[in-house]
Amino acid sequence: MHDIRAIRDDPAAYDAAWAMKGFSPQSPAILALDESLRAAQTALQAAQARRNEASKLIGQAKAAKDEAKASALMAEVDSLKSAIADNTEAESRLGGELRDILSALPNRPAAEVPPGEDETGNVEVRRHGEPYAIESPADHVDLGAALGMMDFEAASRMSGARFVVLRQGLARLERALGQFMIDMQTLEHGYTEVSPPLLVRDNAMFGTGQLPKFAEDSFHTTDGYWLISTSEVSLTNLLREQIVSEDQLPLRMTALTPCFRSEAGASGRDTRGMIRQHQFAKVELVSFTAPEDSEAEHQRKVECAEAVLKRLELPFRTMLLCAGDMGFSARKTYDLEVWLPSQKTYREISSVSNCGDFQARRMDARCRKAGEKGARFVHTLNGSGLAVGRTLVAVMENYQDENGRIAIPQALHPYMRGVTHIGGEG
């Protein structure tokens, strides 16, 4: 959400920022609506004040037995009732229209975010590890089918496209990956584990920016709930309508949950395999900071996500996203992209964003310094640490051998209880 006062002060800066995300100038319409709203509010306040004043004068006129004056004042009060009703309706209507416009506009990119319309404008920051030399690598779909442990057809019969059934070793490996990630983030990186709701109401989805613009990307129940597309929604809304002491910040939370995404806007993309599923598991990382600390927390959060890939010994690169490729609520985003041998390219496995005060304004989440009366909006940050299904894909493809077996990364051995390979003995 945007501060209308800040838009009044520097509309050109907002138009320039929104232009980086592909929007035409928005401030003229916003400021015109804002002017009309303020005019209605001023007229309403004036009419209410005059009504109150006239009501007092009626009593005085009657006490003085001045019936003519009392009658004139009563007629004026009656006419003011109509003006008050009209301006009350105008204030409500214009305020709603202004909120609708502002809530549909994305966050402004940070100054250091590169320009660009799509992923071709992203900038590589660093790489870690060299891609494994695998002769004629199979993709995860063929590997899983050959092992008899990955079944898209069975999933399709009960649920349709973009679902999968995992069995035996792959089901266990997926569970091991999730447990390894959540343990790493809580025990080593200081995140507090949370088990949050998977069903939320409209206001929670609005708070993190999924609504109103991206309703088609989420699943909606018949009784008004939304299935979370990421536990960012649940974790970030833990501070909605709250004021916390700045002494408590930063707050760092994590959750391993199922996530549900309709992928309505991704028709035709990644239809084969597990890269883009309607249901998937993910470890989410969410932080709340004071405004001046969010950039440092952003860098730390990226490192926490990178640490998972390093421990799993998976080659990856870190990308700074351009303005046109960032999400709706983000002011700055880094993507981690893992190497997939079958595609001979890097694919996104984590997105880590600093949202500034954009989500906090939508949720009314604030912080206050000890001993001070005033409160200010917190900054919120989120990121994957990591997407479990995509990590499973990366492990399968990077750890395959010529016989179709999957070696278990050393970091996962404690979670696999002695199993060192999937397929064959051991």
Side-chain angles (χ1 to χ4, degrees):
M1 201 69 169
H2 301 282
D3 184 354
I4 185 60
R5 292 170 297 181
I7 297 175
R8 289 178 203 145
D9 291 341
D10 196 354
Y14 276 82
D15 282 334
W18 288 323
M20 293 179 70
K21 287 194 170 185
F23 284 75
S24 60
Q26 301 291 309
S27 66
I30 291 171
L31 294 179
L33 192 56
D34 177 53
E35 185 176 356
S36 297
L37 172 60
R38 286 192 289 164
Q41 291 170 333
T42 299
L44 175 60
Q45 291 165 2
Q48 289 172 329
R50 177 55 188 165
R51 179 197 59 188
N52 295 339
E53 180 184 20
S55 296
K56 291 180 181 179
L57 293 174
I58 290 170
Q60 295 173 8
K62 287 187 173 182
K65 300 187 183 310
D66 188 343
E67 294 300 327
K69 184 176 182 179
S71 295
L73 287 167
M74 285 189 287
E76 182 182 3
V77 168
D78 285 339
S79 68
L80 286 169
K81 288 179 182 178
S82 177
I84 289 171
D86 290 344
N87 284 297
T88 297
E89 184 279 330
E91 180 186 40
S92 176
R93 174 175 49 80
L94 294 169
E97 291 177 10
L98 183 59
R99 283 191 298 273
D100 288 345
I101 291 176
L102 293 177
S103 66
L105 289 169
N107 201 353
R108 296 193 299 164
E112 63 271 25
V113 169
E117 297 180 0
D118 53 35
E119 61 186 17
T120 60
N122 297 341
V123 176
E124 184 173 320
V125 177
R126 54 184 170 267
R127 291 193 184 198
H128 180 85
E130 292 294 328
Y132 295 117
I134 302 174
E135 187 174 347
S136 301
D139 74 2
H140 68 282
V141 178
D142 291 337
L143 288 167
L147 290 167
M149 301 177 188
M150 183 178 287
D151 193 337
F152 292 95
E153 291 185 8
S156 180
R157 288 195 298 271
M158 70 178 90
S159 302
R162 298 191 187 274
F163 291 92
V164 66
V165 173
L166 299 178
R167 296 187 176 94
Q168 298 173 287
L170 290 185
R172 184 173 184 180
L173 179 57
E174 181 189 46
R175 176 163 52 89
L177 281 165
Q179 293 300 315
F180 160 70
M181 293 175 192
I182 198 74
D183 282 353
M184 189 174 187
Q185 302 302 347
T186 55
L187 300 177
E188 299 182 30
H189 298 153
Y191 286 84
T192 298
E193 184 173 3
V194 177
S195 179
L198 305 181
L199 291 166
V200 297
R201 297 183 297 191
D202 289 2
N203 58 0
M205 294 283 281
F206 176 85
T208 48
Q210 276 74 20
L211 292 181
K213 191 168 185 179
F214 302 102
E216 68 172 9
D217 295 332
S218 298
F219 289 105
H220 198 205
T221 70
T222 55
D223 54 355
Y225 289 98
W226 296 86
L227 283 165
I228 60 169
S229 55
T230 162
S231 57
E232 169 202 344
V233 176
S234 305
L235 295 177
T236 307
N237 274 279
L238 288 173
L239 254 64
R240 73 172 299 108
E241 300 169 12
Q242 301 294 306
I243 299 177
V244 297
S245 170
E246 290 195 18
D247 294 340
Q248 296 176 254
L249 303 177
L251 289 172
R252 300 182 177 117
M253 304 176 189
T254 185
L256 168 59
T257 67
C259 302
F260 306 90
R261 196 167 295 171
S262 74
E263 298 293 355
S267 178
R269 294 187 60 193
D270 297 312
T271 55
R272 175 179 167 85
M274 289 183 62
I275 295 295
R276 199 176 292 273
Q277 295 275 283
H278 288 316
Q279 175 185 319
F280 55 96
K282 183 156 67 81
V283 171
E284 186 69 15
L285 308 173
V286 164
S287 298
F288 304 90
T289 74
E292 59 272 13
D293 298 330
S294 65
E295 176 57 26
E297 181 69 13
H298 194 194
Q299 299 303 319
R300 182 187 189 275
K301 191 178 294 291
V302 171
E303 293 171 2
C304 290
E306 289 177 334
V308 178
L309 291 168
K310 289 177 181 179
R311 194 73 60 83
L312 293 173
E313 301 181 73
L314 291 169
F316 70 92
R317 65 181 184 180
T318 302
M319 307 291 290
L320 175 61
L321 298 196
C322 70
D325 200 33
M326 288 198 304
F328 179 80
S329 297
R331 69 187 303 267
K332 183 178 179 181
T333 298
Y334 292 95
D335 271 6
L336 307 187
E337 298 180 348
V338 68
W339 177 258
L340 292 186
S342 70
Q343 299 183 18
K344 295 182 172 58
T345 192
Y346 291 91
R347 296 297 305 270
E348 178 202 338
I349 198 168
S350 173
S351 190
V352 185
S353 298
N354 183 351
C355 297
D357 64 2
F358 184 81
Q359 293 177 326
R361 287 181 179 278
R362 297 167 77 97
M363 299 185 302
D364 191 22
R366 292 176 289 165
C367 59
R368 178 186 291 136
K369 289 185 177 180
E372 294 187 4
K373 292 184 178 180
R376 52 186 181 155
F377 291 107
V378 298
H379 279 196
T380 64
L381 304 96
N382 63 79
S384 305
L386 306 165
V388 178
R390 293 192 179 192
T391 310
L392 175 66
V393 168
V395 168
M396 290 176 66
E397 294 201 6
N398 283 282
Y399 280 85
Q400 63 181 292
D401 66 19
E402 64 277 8
N403 297 315
R405 296 194 311 165
I406 311 298
I408 305 300
Q410 187 70 36
L412 298 179
H413 284 190
Y415 297 87
M416 295 295 289
R417 299 206 175 181
V419 175
T420 60
H421 291 79
I422 294 176
E425 294 300 321

